[in-house]
Amino acid sequence: MQASQEYQSSVGIHRLYHHPMQPVEPYCFSSFQILNDDISTDNVSPSFAQATQVGDEQYYTLDSSPATSYTVSGTPSAFSISSNLTPFSPQGSQSYLTDQHHSYDNTYGSPLSGSSIVDEGSELKQMLRVLELQLLGPESEIDDSCSQITTEIVPRLDLRQALISCAEAVADEDFLTAERFINVLERMVSVSGEPIQRLGAYMLEALRARFFLTGSCIYKKLKCKEPTSSELMSYMHVLYQICPYYKFAYNSANVVILEAMQNENRIHIIDFQIAQGSQWVSLIEVLAKRPGGAPQVRITGVDDSQSAHARSGGLELVGKRLSKVAEQCGVRFEFHGAGISGCEVNLENLMLRPGEAVAVNFPYMLHHMPDESVTTTNHRDRLLRLVKSLSPKVVILVEQESNTNTASFFPRFKETLEYYTAMFESIDAGRPRDDKQRMSAEEHCVARDIVNIIACEGPERVERHELFGKWRARLVMAGFSQCPLSPSVSMAIMDVLKDYSKNYRLQEREGALHLFWNNRVLVTCSAWR
């Protein structure tokens, strides 16, 4: 009998990870909207943050520089970006565009050298002078005194180094140097260029936001034109198609839950990022075919404003959709919507019932919870302790593998640059350089995370990623024990990766599943009880 049960479970898992996942999920890696109007493939009007008066409230858009004067290093002139170009313009004169599509082999796969860039002081100023002459002035202005600098320094300065040097100037409050770097960087980035140029465009906008009024202040004042729900769905569908990150989260969690619940007759799944609920369609269909009959399934979906906006409606839409699927499959089903943020969730919101086996899903969500570095309430650990009190059968944690939570601005900038370089390379492998859908997807679903990480501090910074080692420490302190992942989980993800670039690879270590792009871990999945 035991052998028969194991065989049937294996068949069910096989059906699950070969089942086509639902194509769209209405959430990205952030709860923020991008801070600019919809992107255009034509030239976009200049720079950043025009102050506008509406009623009694002043707000900013991303159309031009602030109207208020800004003193830079004691000079009386206002801070300004002199060029008519913007990083969001794909037709910048110095965009250095190459081929329309390029599949990367580990171009930037190795870790960044960190701050091992140009020395401070005169060499940095000389470097800036050469760059300004090369990019902003006539070649005739480069005299003999600059020739040695051009030969020795410029080859060592690429876009990545220029971004780091600019961030260092911002961190040191060296406003004049930062302004000069921003002017230079403006000519080096492009939303239709190579991955580092596209990433550089958004990181430059984040540096501007931090430079002008500090990140938290400008984030409070900025108003943006949010995409319609149908547009946002389209952007996320693009990312779902060209990158495996959502499928990694959904498939791995479903296989873990299927294995943990194989002998349970009443299952309660608590999803802390329910979105459209598409993840659970395939799970319901597989459970319907379980030997001995389908279990009774109840799902509690925790919502947020981002998901509600993308759905163009509340949680009742998710419940109706899943109920219809369950009815067609002959599965007894019930849905409960908890329309509150994770910070507000308490025991009574989860509607526990005796005799149910509980599974809890944290897909790219827990890093949004503020911890002890933000508030004494420490919602991150509070939520973990609350979940532990439910005595769950299994808890699945999927998170981005990045260290941006408690890091100060400059180390956080370098970490963000390294992490998102790999992510932009992976996106580049899936769509041509001039693909308008890719541009919009990066803008609305990735760039806003970057702006939030770099430009914001305190409670306004919600993108607070931690490495797996820190998550493991938090879970252990909350009373959890790590569950080993079966080979079926790896098999499910390997099957998904067949449809993507060979630069994706999978590795299991420390009891967790790590998804790499070349040499960089981007996402981890682990199971706990």
Side-chain angles (χ1 to χ4, degrees), residues 308-410:
H309 171 68
R311 274 195 306 269
S312 189
L315 281 169
E316 64 274 6
L317 296 178
V318 178
K320 289 179 181 178
R321 180 188 184 197
L322 293 178
S323 296
K324 183 177 180 180
V325 171
E327 182 179 3
Q328 292 172 344
C329 295
V331 175
R332 293 169 295 165
F333 180 81
E334 184 179 341
F335 181 83
H336 167 63
I340 54 178
S341 74
C343 292
E344 301 172 305
V345 170
N346 288 301
L347 184 61
E348 55 268 24
N349 304 122
L350 302 179
M351 304 287 288
L352 293 183
R353 294 175 186 169
E356 291 181 329
V358 176
V360 177
N361 191 39
F362 285 120
Y364 302 121
M365 172 270 175
L366 205 53
H367 72 270
H368 289 149
M369 297 296 99
D371 70 347
E372 68 278 3
S373 67
V374 183
T375 171
T376 55
T377 306
N378 191 356
H379 290 289
R380 188 170 298 195
D381 290 348
R382 181 194 69 83
L383 189 56
L384 287 175
R385 290 194 299 270
L386 174 63
V387 169
K388 179 59 181 176
S389 72
L390 309 179
S391 300
K393 189 88 173 181
V394 69
V395 174
I396 304 98
L397 176 68
V398 179
E399 278 293 348
Q400 294 166 255
E401 184 72 355
S402 184
N403 186 22
T404 63
N405 182 24
T406 58
S408 58
F409 164 68
F410 188 51

Side-chain angles (χ1 to χ4, degrees), residues 402-430:
S402 184
N403 186 22
T404 63
N405 182 24
T406 58
S408 58
F409 164 68
F410 188 51
R412 190 168 77 237
F413 182 92
K414 292 189 291 183
E415 170 75 359
T416 303
L417 179 59
E418 179 182 344
Y419 183 90
Y420 283 97
T421 293
M423 179 170 286
F424 271 67
E425 285 179 9
S426 72
I427 295 173
D428 194 63

Side-chain angles (χ1 to χ4, degrees), residues 336-527:
H336 167 63
I340 54 178
S341 74
C343 292
E344 301 172 305
V345 170
N346 288 301
L347 184 61
E348 55 268 24
N349 304 122
L350 302 179
M351 304 287 288
L352 293 183
R353 294 175 186 169
E356 291 181 329
V358 176
V360 177
N361 191 39
F362 285 120
Y364 302 121
M365 172 270 175
L366 205 53
H367 72 270
H368 289 149
M369 297 296 99
D371 70 347
E372 68 278 3
S373 67
V374 183
T375 171
T376 55
T377 306
N378 191 356
H379 290 289
R380 188 170 298 195
D381 290 348
R382 181 194 69 83
L383 189 56
L384 287 175
R385 290 194 299 270
L386 174 63
V387 169
K388 179 59 181 176
S389 72
L390 309 179
S391 300
K393 189 88 173 181
V394 69
V395 174
I396 304 98
L397 176 68
V398 179
E399 278 293 348
Q400 294 166 255
E401 184 72 355
S402 184
N403 186 22
T404 63
N405 182 24
T406 58
S408 58
F409 164 68
F410 188 51
R412 190 168 77 237
F413 182 92
K414 292 189 291 183
E415 170 75 359
T416 303
L417 179 59
E418 179 182 344
Y419 183 90
Y420 283 97
T421 293
M423 179 170 286
F424 271 67
E425 285 179 9
S426 72
I427 295 173
D428 194 63
R431 284 289 177 96
R433 293 273 167 80
D434 60 350
D435 188 277
K436 296 177 183 178
Q437 289 184 323
R438 178 201 54 74
M439 294 181 198
S440 293
E442 286 178 345
E443 177 192 4
H444 290 285
C445 294
V446 183
R448 61 186 178 195
D449 295 17
I450 296 168
V451 171
N452 185 255
I453 294 169
I454 294 171
C456 297
E457 298 292 351
E460 285 78 22
R461 181 159 62 88
V462 298
E463 297 298 322
R464 294 178 168 273
H465 306 102
E466 292 185 321
L467 300 175
F468 175 69
K470 186 62 182 289
W471 288 118
R472 181 174 55 191
R474 287 189 185 278
L475 285 154
V476 169
M477 286 185 0
F480 287 95
S481 299
Q482 192 170 357
C483 304
L485 298 175
S486 77
S488 297
V489 182
S490 297
M491 289 172 59
I493 304 305
M494 290 300 295
D495 193 65
V496 167
L497 296 182
K498 291 177 182 177
D499 297 329
Y500 294 92
S501 168
K502 293 181 180 179
N503 291 328
Y504 290 106
R505 61 188 180 90
L506 203 62
Q507 184 180 105
E508 185 176 350
R509 64 188 189 197
E510 301 176 301
L513 210 54
H514 294 65
L515 178 62
F516 285 74
W517 172 261
N518 289 318
N519 295 328
R520 172 76 201 206
V521 183
L522 293 182
V523 186
T524 63
C525 173
S526 56

